[in-house]
Amino acid sequence: MSDGLRYENSGVNYDSLDAFKRFCQQAAATTREALAGSGYGEPRDVRGESAFLLEGMDHYLAHVEEGLGTKNLVADAMLALTGKSYYASIGIDTVATIVNDLITCGALPLSVAMHAAVGDGKWFDQPGRARELAEGFAEGCRQAQAIWGGGETPALKGIVSPDSIVLAGSAMGKIFPKSRRVLGNIAEGDAIVLLASSGVQTNGLSLCRLLAERLQDGYQTPMKDGRAYGQALLDPSAIYVKFVSACQHAGLQPHYLAHLTGHGWRKLMRPSQRFVYQMDNLGNVPEIFRFIMENGPVEVREAYATFNMGAGFAAYVDPADATQAVEIAQAQGYHAWIGGRVVQQDQRKAVELLPLGIIFDEQSLQVR
């Protein structure tokens, strides 16, 4: 459909972004000598993963830096329209996007830091908004079982719009003992367990904002569940730390963990190995995504290439452990299900969404 919305219509081009990421990985690799004599080394094949690791004698340290994206602009619009601040949810979202990447290597968060850049310090004078942001960030840290360690609040006049804030942050985590590291040792036949998202979470918001501009009532447009479109976009993200922690305490060792954010379901083939990831149970699609697809319109292939579509986290496990992994997730309050399996087909690498007849080949995900 020629008038359908695509993520690139919103100004986001992953080809350009990913090319820069690959260049950075190459340049960053030239700095390894700085670790000489530190007692730490860089593990093999860690670059290109969601978290960076340093290897010590009996543990690993993990580090992640991530940004919220543009979800706070939806909160600003809803504040102007309704007088209600959603910045407590935005605080949780900011922590979620950081720690959900950190745990993919098996590290549990120790501390989280906030980076809150504004164009004008007066942004913090808005009654209640700044306080709610701080309270939400603290709640996100509690859900992540981590301490809020500090942060930075620069005023960047001329770079950031005077009425906006750019939210990001970093986290440090630890893997101890070292045997708990998620190594990426995927094997044919492994089961892929999916954990449900809470909605859009923090990915694809640029496209969601573009859609709001096309709707007659914008963010106030009602959905079939009775909520306004903007309200549904601002549901706080799920934080999956408790699942990984519970797996460790149960002695269940995932072969790989993936946070389904940018690139949508294409992220299922982030592992470096050449496998086909066949998904036959896609789960229930939340109403927010049905609304976006219908009103964009957004084609189903584009939707699964951009959004989490109801699955925010994936655990690749031995098939004998799949049912236990689902039970562990459910015991921690997550909805989870067995979504598919790992299949070897010569040197082919792809994600296949079998019920939809959609195939994403390896050229559609170039993050290494």
Side-chain angles (χ1 to χ4, degrees):
M1 52 186 70
S2 59
D3 61 345
L5 284 182
R6 297 178 59 83
Y7 203 20
E8 60 189 34
N9 298 145
S10 66
V12 179
N13 186 322
Y14 273 128
D15 289 341
S16 298
L17 294 172
D18 292 342
F20 179 66
K21 291 177 184 178
R22 294 193 298 273
F23 176 79
C24 288
Q25 290 172 34
Q26 294 167 8
T30 67
T31 67
R32 292 191 183 104
E33 292 182 1
L35 291 175
S38 69
Y40 286 94
E42 178 185 321
R44 293 181 56 187
D45 302 324
V46 70
R47 296 191 184 272
E49 294 296 334
S50 296
F52 181 72
L53 290 178
L54 291 174
E55 183 174 7
M57 288 293 295
D58 63 351
H59 67 282
Y60 293 95
L61 294 179
H63 180 257
V64 162
E65 194 280 337
E66 257 295 345
L68 173 72
T70 63
K71 189 170 183 176
N72 56 295
L73 294 180
V74 181
D76 290 340
M78 289 296 287
L79 176 60
L81 289 168
T82 68
K84 175 178 171 57
S85 170
Y86 289 84
Y87 265 83
S89 294
I90 292 298
I92 295 172
D93 287 320
T94 306
V95 175
T97 195
I98 301 166
V99 299
N100 286 342
D101 272 4
L102 186 78
I103 58 176
T104 58
C105 64
L108 299 181
L110 293 172
S111 69
V112 184
M114 174 197 284
H115 188 96
V118 295
D120 190 320
K122 293 180 180 178
W123 188 95
F124 297 106
D125 295 337
Q126 174 73 30
R129 182 172 60 180
R131 184 187 68 252
E132 288 189 16
L133 173 59
E135 291 174 347
F137 199 89
E139 173 58 23
C141 289
R142 284 190 288 270
Q143 292 184 25
Q145 302 173 334
I147 189 172
W148 179 357
E152 171 72 353
T153 54
L156 304 178
K157 183 177 181 180
I159 296 178
V160 180
S161 171
D163 57 355
S164 296
I165 187 168
V166 178
L167 289 165
S170 61
M172 180 177 67
K174 185 176 181 179
I175 304 174
F176 178 81
K178 293 173 74 173
S179 58
R180 288 180 171 175
R181 179 186 170 192
V182 177
L183 294 170
N185 52 339
I186 299 171
E188 182 176 20
D190 277 357
I192 302 175
V193 173
L194 299 174
L195 277 66
S197 71
S198 60
V200 172
Q201 300 199 153
T202 61
N203 185 134
L205 269 298
S206 293
L207 188 150
C208 296
R209 292 189 297 113
L210 182 60
L211 172 57
E213 296 174 5
R214 294 190 173 192
L215 298 172
Q216 181 176 350
D217 295 318
Y219 290 117
Q220 295 282 54
T221 303
M223 303 196 315
K224 291 181 181 178
D225 63 5
R227 297 199 299 164
Y229 172 53
Q231 180 185 2
L233 288 177
L234 291 167
D235 286 339
S237 302
I239 292 176
Y240 301 101
V241 173
K242 291 181 180 178
F243 168 71
V244 175
S245 177
C247 283
Q248 291 180 354
H249 283 94
L252 190 154
Q253 181 67 29
H255 293 171
Y256 194 78
L257 296 170
H259 183 200
L260 301 188
T261 53
H263 304 87
W265 284 53
R266 291 176 289 173
K267 271 285 178 65
L268 289 169
M269 58 177 161
R270 183 167 196 161
S272 59
Q273 297 94 326
R274 307 192 66 80
F275 287 113
V276 176
Y277 304 91
Q278 293 185 339
M279 310 304 295
D280 54 18
N281 185 350
L282 309 185
N284 297 320
V285 177
E287 175 59 28
I288 182 64
F289 296 116
R290 297 184 185 277
F291 179 90
I292 291 169
M293 292 170 66
E294 178 180 347
N295 288 276
V298 176
E299 294 182 348
V300 63
R301 180 184 179 88
E302 178 70 13
Y304 277 90
T306 302
F307 298 109
N308 67 64
M309 298 301 287
F313 202 75
Y316 305 61
V317 300
D318 187 289
D321 294 333
T323 299
Q324 183 186 9
V326 170
E327 292 173 348
I328 288 173
Q330 292 174 339
Q332 297 302 315
Y334 305 100
H335 174 57
W337 67 98
I338 300 172
R341 69 195 63 80
V342 176
V343 177
Q344 189 161 32
Q345 295 180 353
D346 297 322
Q347 291 299 303
R348 184 166 171 253
K349 187 174 186 180
V351 174
E352 297 181 346
L353 308 184
L354 299 180
L356 301 175
I358 291 174
I359 297 174
F360 296 117
D361 62 31
E362 65 178 308
Q363 297 303 316
S364 66
L365 184 73
Q366 296 290 318
V367 294
R368 300 177 189 274

